[in-house]
Amino acid sequence: MQHVHLKFGSIQIHAQRVCRGLLLCALWLASTAAVAAPLRAQWSFRLLPGDAQLQTHPGMDAWKQATVPGSVHTDLLAAGLIGDPYVGAAEAGLQWIGLADWEYRARFDVDAASLARPHAELRFDGLDTFAEVRLNGEPLLKADNAHRTWRARVDGRLRAQGNELQIVFRSPIRTLLPQVQAMPHKIAGNYPSPYGDEPKDAMVGNFVRKPAYHFGWDWGPRYVTAGVWRQVHLDSWDQQRITDLAVRTDALDADKANLSVQLQVEQADKAGTQQVVIDVRDPDGKTVAQIKRDVALAPGENNLSLPLQIDKPRRWWPVGYGAQDRYTVQARLGEGKQSALESSIRIGLRTVQLQREEDKDGGQGFGFVINGVPVFAKGANVIPFDAFPARVTRERLRRDLQAARDANMNMLRNWGGGYYEDDAFFDIADELGLLVWQDFMFGGGMQPGYAPAFRANVVAEARDNIRRLRHHPSIVLWCGNNEEETAWKDWGHGKTLKEADPVFAAKVWQGYVDLFGKDLRSVVAEEGLGVPYWASSPSNDLDTKANDSRRGDKHYWEVWGNPALPPTAYLKETPRFMSEYGLQAWPQLSTINAFATPEEQRVDGPVIEAHQKFLAGKGNERLLHYIEMEFGTPRSFPDFVYLSQMMQAEGIELAALHHRASRPYTMGSLYWQLNDVWPGASWSSVDYYGNWKALNFHARRFFADVAVAALRDEGSTRFSLLNDGRAEVQGQWRVRVLDFDGRELQQQRRPISLPAMSATEVARFSDAELLQGADPSRSVAVFELLRGDAVVAQRLVYFVAAKQQALQPAQLHSELRAEGDHYLLQLRADRLVRGIWIGFTNADASVEDNAFDLLPGQTRTLVVRSTAPLSTLRSALHLQTLGDTLQSRPVASQDNASVERIH
Ligand code: BMA
């Protein structure tokens, strides 16, 4: 393909442009930046006495111990009242929980110092969802949005001992069903419950501000949770408290940073003067700037803007472009002795532009420019890390984000059907240099945007979360929603409603435009410190067409989704920024063992189907369609799992390399999806337990800064060399054609220089040119970039589907030996060996690379880390290859479970 070189810079949204005026910023509400003490309390829970569910679940109204933050499902599990919601096919039997009202109770004391202060506030960081809160028997607040921070002043309402907080959570289904059922025409929702707890034609999920995936998604279970899902804080103060701290970058380059520290202080009854101290410490902890000033404070909210300059700033860069330096900014009032008088944030200095240059022929680009440098975004979409968010630890977040960075990703998209991630997520992303595309929490379908109260609720939620998160340099985009615009315009959501009721349809669409075109755009402009806003993914920011290959970002699901085209169709789709595309695979058998017994492990078994959410359990048919296209029918369940991973890895690799080879026309490739919400089948590359699927190993190669794209379709291979690095690369390209026994049929080699941050098309070869009459089923073309004689990057191209190749079993030889504090696994291939998978059955071991091919005669030595002794590891080692899988084993009976387990 010819690269279209576009002039950068015609339309740009500048980081510094927005939120200039203090007046706008003066509208800010209290934020979460100030430190407050978590409430120390004894929590209990019960089914609300009198609830209808008591009839079928007697005794559930007895008080049991609860954990906060938490959820009713995890509390019931811990109390031994329900089985593990992830094991077997548990969902149907647990839907009653979402139909019940639950009561939580906290008993707590207050220390004398806090009690002595005239002002106090209880802050709830997450109430899920319809909550009625009482303190010491008196009403305190009512909440209706799980994504918001809820605050209540408790001045004079606390006592030293025996305070009691009582929270009743109403079933969201029962609360909303009457109003949804009364609608003459429904708006589109996702996904109907298969369990009968909610009518399929009256879904409530889109009417409530609660994580959409709790109602079930095509990769996760339906658990309609309730509970105190984030921390509760009690704060107290005398005359003043800090209610917000933010730092706006007004100008930034290598020489200087002009910043303004924006401090919001709430002053109680009387006006007064107070000393404000701002300290800025550099990444090494050295103070590089300080402001000390006496300020006059009027009763109520005071918004201060304090300019400061840093010379030779150490800028924050995405991984691969520079360091991830962060500064600490601390604000104190007076001595800062109480938590309310001190606040501190870690910031990164960077600019963000969303570059949307117009082409001559009507196209319009979409690319991120960080600190003036265009960044090709490589990464994946992130879904919630658990059905019960409170049990996601920082360690789990780190594990999966580290897996992303280790796979050479530089961007993650936080998809809109979940929740706004914990601060820890962004802190780790900042540290690792991962850019974050942040959706607002709208997963799909439509919502009552026509209702002003609903929109106001969303605006408050947006403000809370932007304020909580805006100091994180990793966040480079706020996006209105996931797939709502394209669903309305392209999938028939709009058409169906227009046909049924044109007046209501117009009202629904206007509500959409008001919410995503105006309200959220304004909040991001006011609060977002210059981070750009984008109305929907995919879209061209409310342009006529929503999922346009030539304009804006693109979701491409014609591969995997309907019409289920072969993966080579990826090569015919060249978007400006691919924000979703994906293929499923099952996680490794040890993960499946966590929820299914060996007897239950059948492709069409009920427990396996319960953990395959695509097509309501029938997704394995789609998976088999893709496996069969390339590999034939798997002969056992373990082979099905293994082949699903090979298929997924190779398919996504093809797409990702095509996107990269299309730089700069295309400026991003985010596959669907990085992680899992539970152990099950999905599009993820890392499973629920953090195990890498074959795809994550492939991603590390296909997202590497320097990579080879050799993409074969319809008898022709396009050979490109990719260099995302900031320096030119000099080397040689080499193309060899070998037969499977290692005989070299031809070789070409030429010097080449690859400009920084570029894709270079080297050549195109027809099969005839490469094969020159050789047998396509026994030949492989090897495309490489060399530096001297070292292979820097390589990609193998095959000429027929794997099932037609002359692959042979037992061509791989291995030797495992101890070496210092680790082990070495040496692999040697006699003939060509495809799809090597190294597994260790029932042994905890990690191997430095996996899911690769070896050329005839090639040897690779890999580091293995394990605490197991050598003899255990040797017997645990299990190697699988395509040759073994496709050629050697006898065709098994239909009963997959009876086939001997491989891993
Ligand atoms: C996309 C996403 C998700 C979904 C995924 C897989 O459309 O936005 O809603 O889970 O595809 O089908």
Side-chain angles (χ1 to χ4, degrees):
M1 192 195 97
Q2 275 299 105
H3 292 305
V4 187
H5 284 277
L6 300 158
K7 230 182 87 226
F8 281 72
S10 52
I11 299 188
Q12 300 181 334
I13 301 173
H14 283 272
Q16 303 95 312
R17 201 178 282 169
V18 230
C19 200
R20 280 264 156 87
L22 243 190
L23 268 184
L24 276 182
C25 303
L27 297 173
W28 289 347
L29 303 174
S31 91
T32 56
V35 185
L39 181 73
R40 295 159 63 94
Q42 294 293 323
W43 287 90
S44 333
F45 82 111
R46 64 175 176 178
L47 186 66
L48 189 67
D51 191 277
Q53 294 299 325
L54 256 183
Q55 283 163 17
T56 37
H57 301 90
M60 291 281 180
D61 57 347
W63 287 108
K64 297 275 179 205
Q65 197 186 319
T67 302
V68 166
S71 74
V72 67
H73 289 79
T74 42
D75 286 335
L76 287 165
L77 177 64
L81 296 171
I82 60 169
D84 192 322
Y86 284 3
V87 174
E91 269 172 279
L94 297 177
Q95 293 309 314
W96 66 272
I97 301 168
L99 289 171
D101 293 346
W102 296 93
E103 183 179 2
Y104 275 72
R105 182 182 74 189
R107 294 207 163 130
F108 63 98
D109 300 336
V110 181
D111 65 81
S114 304
L115 210 55
R117 294 186 195 115
H119 308 292
E121 180 182 81
L122 274 169
R123 189 183 96 209
F124 302 86
D125 288 346
L127 294 172
D128 178 14
T129 292
F130 291 113
E132 295 153 19
V133 186
R134 299 168 79 84
L135 174 65
N136 295 332
E138 297 295 323
L140 187 70
L141 67 84
K142 276 189 166 192
D144 61 357
N145 186 335
H147 303 297
R148 276 174 70 176
T149 303
W150 294 93
R151 296 160 183 279
R153 288 289 285 263
V154 293
D155 300 13
R157 290 180 62 175
L158 297 168
R159 41 192 191 231
Q161 285 180 330
N163 293 282
E164 185 170 289
L165 254 183
Q166 179 211 24
I167 311 179
V168 171
F169 291 98
R170 301 285 175 194
S171 157
I173 301 170
R174 280 192 1 222
T175 303
L176 290 166
L177 203 53
Q179 113 189 27
V180 177
Q181 277 182 315
M183 291 170 70
H185 302 286
K186 310 285 184 288
I187 55 176
N190 287 12
Y191 285 85
S193 172
Y195 305 114
D197 54 318
E198 179 186 73
K200 287 188 166 43
D201 63 348
M203 289 174 269
V204 307
N206 287 13
F207 291 82
V208 53
R209 297 307 299 147
K210 170 177 173 60
Y213 80 107
H214 286 170
F215 295 90
W217 215 262
D218 60 0
W219 35 252
R222 176 182 175 92
Y223 285 124
V224 182
T225 60
V228 186
W229 75 284
R230 276 187 167 147
Q231 202 58 263
V232 182
H233 303 265
L234 175 62
D235 204 11
S236 59
W237 64 99
D238 293 316
Q239 270 304 296
Q240 300 95 21
R241 62 166 171 164
I242 295 177
T243 46
D244 190 37
L245 171 64
V247 178
R248 201 183 63 211
T249 304
D250 294 323
L252 176 66
D253 59 27
D255 289 332
K256 64 171 174 11
N258 287 334
L259 310 173
S260 35
V261 178
Q262 321 234 326
L263 188 67
Q264 189 181 65
V265 179
E266 188 185 295
Q267 172 82 0
D269 353 301
K270 295 189 290 287
T273 306
Q274 179 62 280
Q275 186 185 54
V276 175
V277 182
I278 309 285
D279 270 315
V280 181
R281 290 197 300 275
D282 75 4
D284 302 324
K286 199 174 113 220
T287 299
V288 287
Q290 193 180 61
I291 303 173
K292 249 188 203 166
R293 189 177 296 174
D294 287 334
V295 293
L297 297 170
E301 269 176 24
N302 295 265
N303 289 287
L304 314 170
S305 180
L306 307 159
L308 65 84
Q309 186 172 317
I310 298 174
D311 292 328
K312 298 274 176 230
R314 289 159 66 174
R315 285 180 287 179
W316 183 93
W317 292 92
V319 56
Y321 291 78
Q324 284 73 55
D325 281 326
R326 282 183 287 169
Y327 289 77
T328 302
V329 179
Q330 189 199 42
R332 284 193 316 276
L333 298 181
E335 294 300 304
K337 286 254 167 69
Q338 294 164 19
S339 62
L341 301 177
E342 194 270 342
S343 182
S344 136
I345 48 176
R346 280 183 94 186
I347 63 166
L349 303 175
R350 54 99 183 91
T351 59
V352 187
Q353 295 156 240
L354 181 58
Q355 192 155 267
R356 300 174 60 203
E357 73 284 5
E358 298 267 7
D359 312 340
K360 285 194 205 72
D361 60 356
Q364 187 174 17
F366 184 101
F368 292 91
V369 177
I370 309 297
N371 296 332
V373 178
V375 171
F376 188 99
K378 297 179 287 196
N381 287 267
V382 169
I383 62 163
F385 292 81
D386 207 297
F388 313 113
R391 68 179 183 185
V392 179
T393 58
R394 190 182 175 97
E395 289 66 39
R396 261 165 72 185
L397 294 173
R398 172 171 289 282
R399 180 195 75 193
D400 288 1
L401 267 59
Q402 187 68 51
R405 173 162 153 159
D406 288 346
N408 287 312
M409 298 184 187
N410 60 23
M411 180 179 272
L412 297 173
R413 169 174 172 242
N414 270 333
W415 165 84
Y419 48 87
Y420 303 91
E421 282 292 345
D422 199 61
D423 302 57
F425 177 98
F426 298 94
D427 190 39
I428 297 165
D430 291 349
E431 179 198 320
L432 297 179
L434 295 167
L435 302 171
V436 177
W437 165 319
Q438 181 63 44
D439 283 2
F440 287 101
M441 290 302 126
F442 293 91
M446 257 295 160
Q447 56 287 309
Y450 46 80
F454 182 90
R455 290 209 311 278
N457 197 358
V458 174
V459 166
E461 150 196 335
R463 221 180 277 282
D464 280 350
N465 285 288
I466 298 172
R467 287 186 156 217
R468 176 169 68 89
L469 300 172
R470 60 182 165 183
H471 57 280
H472 292 285
S474 51
I475 299 177
V476 293
L477 189 74
W478 288 96
C479 171
N481 65 66
N482 173 68
E483 294 188 339
E484 293 203 358
E485 191 182 329
T486 187
W488 181 265
K489 290 176 175 173
D490 308 321
W491 305 353
H493 286 189
K495 190 163 169 275
T496 312
L497 197 58
K498 268 181 226 155
E499 281 163 9
D501 185 341
V503 175
F504 182 51
K507 189 171 143 182
V508 169
W509 180 246
Q510 189 55 48
Y512 176 94
V513 173
D514 287 345
L515 182 54
F516 298 108
K518 296 182 190 135
D519 294 350
L520 288 175
R521 193 185 302 280
S522 307
V523 191
V524 172
E526 288 162 23
E527 308 280 9
L529 302 173
V531 167
Y533 175 77
W534 191 245
S536 182
S537 181
S539 79
N540 196 37
D541 209 18
L542 275 165
D543 204 357
T544 332
K545 212 172 158 190
N547 196 16
D548 189 341
S549 305
R550 297 196 313 149
R551 298 167 71 82
D553 72 314
K554 175 87 185 172
H555 292 193
Y556 180 76
W557 284 101
E558 284 175 38
V559 176
W560 181 265
N562 290 327
L565 299 175
T568 45
Y570 283 133
L571 304 178
K572 298 184 169 68
E573 169 59 45
T574 309
R576 311 314 297 262
F577 188 107
M578 189 69 105
S579 41
E580 277 190 18
Y581 59 104
L583 286 165
Q584 269 202 359
W586 277 85
Q588 65 187 45
L589 287 174
S590 66
T591 296
I592 299 172
N593 290 339
F595 62 83
T597 63
E599 296 68 43
E600 287 167 341
Q601 295 181 18
R602 297 195 315 273
V603 174
D604 57 357
V607 170
I608 292 302
E609 288 193 348
H611 287 250
Q612 166 58 279
K613 296 299 181 184
F614 185 69
L615 299 180
K618 296 295 170 198
N620 283 345
E621 290 172 15
R622 184 62 53 90
L623 200 41
L624 278 170
H625 164 72
Y626 279 94
I627 292 172
E628 281 165 358
M629 233 186 270
E630 182 66 25
F631 304 110
T633 304
R635 297 170 187 190
S636 67
F637 185 76
D639 282 0
F640 168 66
V641 170
Y642 160 79
L643 291 174
S644 74
Q645 291 203 14
M646 294 300 142
M647 179 281 294
Q648 180 198 36
E650 293 186 357
I652 298 301
E653 175 162 317
L654 200 63
L657 287 173
H658 168 63
H659 303 149
R660 293 192 60 191
S662 306
R663 177 181 186 152
Y665 183 86
T666 304
M667 280 307 284
S669 180
L670 309 180
Y671 66 72
W672 184 270
Q673 68 204 54
L674 176 71
N675 60 314
D676 271 342
V677 74
W678 78 333
S682 83
W683 299 262
S684 75
S685 60
V686 176
D687 77 18
Y688 178 71
Y689 298 108
N691 301 305
W692 290 22
K693 293 181 183 172
L695 173 56
N696 219 62
F697 290 100
H698 277 242
R700 185 163 63 188
R701 299 188 282 266
F702 65 66
F703 280 151
D705 270 0
V706 177
V708 170
L711 305 168
R712 181 180 173 276
D713 189 24
E714 295 177 355
S716 165
T717 300
R718 175 162 56 102
F719 176 28
S720 306
L721 291 171
L722 315 172
N723 175 22
D724 276 352
R726 295 188 67 182
E728 187 187 69
V729 171
Q730 303 277 0
Q732 288 192 313
W733 62 261
R734 177 170 75 176
V735 179
R736 293 179 288 158
V737 182
L738 311 175
D739 74 13
F740 285 4
D741 293 318
R743 208 156 46 90
E744 188 171 292
L745 306 173
Q746 64 155 310
Q747 179 177 147
Q748 300 182 40
R749 189 171 167 146
R750 307 253 190 295
I752 192 161
S753 89
L754 308 175
M757 301 189 289
S758 71
T760 306
E761 184 172 319
V762 177
R764 279 170 194 243
F765 299 97
S766 67
D767 285 358
E769 286 170 305
L770 291 170
L771 286 167
Q772 296 179 355
D775 182 348
S777 69
R778 295 170 184 278
S779 306
V780 53
V782 186
F783 293 82
E784 289 167 322
L785 178 70
L786 307 176
R787 253 190 189 154
D789 279 331
V791 177
V792 177
Q794 182 188 68
R795 184 171 154 83
L796 308 185
V797 167
Y798 300 109
F799 298 93
V800 294
K803 62 186 174 188
Q804 289 148 358
Q805 284 184 314
L807 297 168
Q808 286 185 8
Q811 299 301 311
L812 187 65
H813 304 277
S814 69
E815 190 201 305
L816 185 65
R817 60 172 199 273
E819 174 96 11
D821 66 346
H822 58 272
Y823 298 99
L824 290 179
L825 175 66
Q826 191 179 70
L827 298 177
R828 182 172 52 78
D830 282 346
R831 303 177 79 239
L832 177 99
V833 178
R834 254 190 96 172
I836 296 169
W837 183 257
I838 305 159
F840 293 91
T841 313
N842 298 329
D844 200 11
S846 68
V847 57
E848 69 172 302
D849 200 5
N850 214 335
F852 52 85
D853 301 348
L854 285 182
L855 290 171
Q858 196 181 346
T859 297
R860 265 194 84 177
T861 304
L862 302 165
V863 172
V864 176
R865 299 202 178 269
S866 175
T867 50
L870 182 61
S871 57
T872 310
L873 218 51
R874 276 195 176 135
S875 49
L877 175 65
H878 174 79
L879 296 170
Q880 187 159 6
T881 72
L882 280 178
D884 298 328
T885 309
L886 305 186
Q887 305 297 340
S888 71
R889 300 168 59 230
V891 178
S893 72
Q894 284 305 300
D895 180 9
N896 289 308
S898 68
V899 173
E900 195 195 342
R901 302 285 298 280
I902 297 261
H903 283 221

